[in-house]
Amino acid sequence: MGREQWKKIWVGSAGNMVEWFDWFVYASFAVYFADSFFPKGNDTANLMNTMGIFAVGFFMRPVGGWVLGRVGDRKGRKAALTLTVTLMSASAILIAVAPTYAVAGYGGVAVLLVARMLQGLSVGGEYAASATYLTEASAPGQRGFASSFQYVSMTAGQLLGLGLQIVLQRTMSEDALHSWAWRIPFIIGALGAAIVFYLRRNMLETEVYAQDDSAQNDPERGTLKALWAHRREAFLVIALTMGGTVAYYTYTTYLTKYLSGSAGLDKPTASLVSFCALFVFMCVQPLAGRLSDRIGRRPLLITFAVGSTFLTVPIMTLLKHAGSFWPALGLALLALFVVTGYTSINACVKAELFPTGIRALGVALPYAIANALFGGTAEYVALWFKKGGIESGYYWYVAGCAAVSLIVYITMRETKTIDLNRVKRADGEDAPLPARSANSSPSGV
């Protein structure tokens, strides 16, 4: 992999890291600010209300996927990536300054809701833009490896959030964390987004997009009409995402709450378990991505689905009775190793399904819909089962979602060998991209 490709991967990953730091600190710090925006009362109910707002961000992701996916296909991957980080910075600032219930009543909830809507818009486009960018920026035989850095950067963002949480837990009192210190990560996120905005303004466009001269003047490029022509692939993205996104959010954003709220671990220990497990998880992503470049995407996806279908119930049950750091860490690592079969390659799999002119929107909108229905509601569903006294029902829910995706993985085609440097002709046949004109620029946008 050449220096220029590494540079593209670095810039795309750095922005993705900040995006997901801002996205995940909401979930990881919710246990501290849940009572700030609602009347004092039942802690579980307040956390459910706060996570309900978290879920609203997911329901905005299809809108963001549509708007920013269209921008990515019509104006370029660089333009979409720059816009996403701008929206994320604005949302982080809003959460950092949101007034509490004691100061403004439900006015603080309104600010929080607007901020989460902006985050949903941003992340709805960020996933597809970064997935498309990382996939297109890599050599044909290295797409799995390169695109795996999307989840490396996503996990790094969450690790930074968890690491900051651990530091604050050990340097500040519980009262301080509940009253004002929970705002610190959102301030840091806003500053980080400003830095990434500068980096992305100077990033290079992918050659696959820049050289696609024949489609760039197509008025239907990046439209819903063009996406409908690839509706089979769009529905495939929803189905193959279903099991992966539920499992991912279960063992990442929800894990800390589960360990502290159900398994009986104190909050600092629960956070440390998540931090250590996620660090190892982050490190194995490129290894799995590289493996997929050798043996294909389907074997990894099928391994994930089989493992998640049959191991979720026993893992979650044992986690609830882990009792201490090491047993909890071992079980969390087992779960995340299983999830790696999905996370390490799902970005390139989805990008490989679509031609260049509809790739960003084709990944963005169906993926965002799947996350709105399953990923964004995972924590809320888990807390709903817990409040109803049947927490184990959630374990079966996760396993069931994985089973549905397993059927899809078994029946789908292999995407490893698909040539991204080809476009769809009007007759539906593949054709190579035309020769790049002498005046075209690799910077694209």
Side-chain angles (χ1 to χ4, degrees), residues 1-11 133 137-138 202-205 207 442-443:
M1 186 171 290
R3 180 180 177 183
E4 202 62 45
Q5 289 178 326
W6 275 115
K7 181 179 178 181
K8 291 178 179 179
I9 290 173
W10 157 244
V11 175
Y133 189 87
S138 59
N202 294 282
M203 72 193 300
L204 298 175
E205 186 60 81
E207 291 187 4
S443 60

Side-chain angles (χ1 to χ4, degrees), residues 4 6 21 52 66-67 92 99 121 124 128 191 225 227 242 244 270 286 322 328 347-348 369 399 404 407 424 435:
E4 202 62 45
W6 275 115
F21 170 86
W66 169 52
V67 173
L121 286 172
L191 293 174
K225 181 178 180 181
L227 180 60
M242 179 181 176
C348 66
I369 291 172
V404 173
I407 297 173
K424 289 283 186 180

Side-chain angles (χ1 to χ4, degrees), residues 33-35 48 80 205 216 272 305 311 321 330 371 399 429 443:
F33 66 76
D35 291 339
M48 284 185 67
E205 186 60 81
Q216 289 185 13
L272 186 60
L311 294 179
H321 302 285
N371 269 272
E429 296 296 325
S443 60

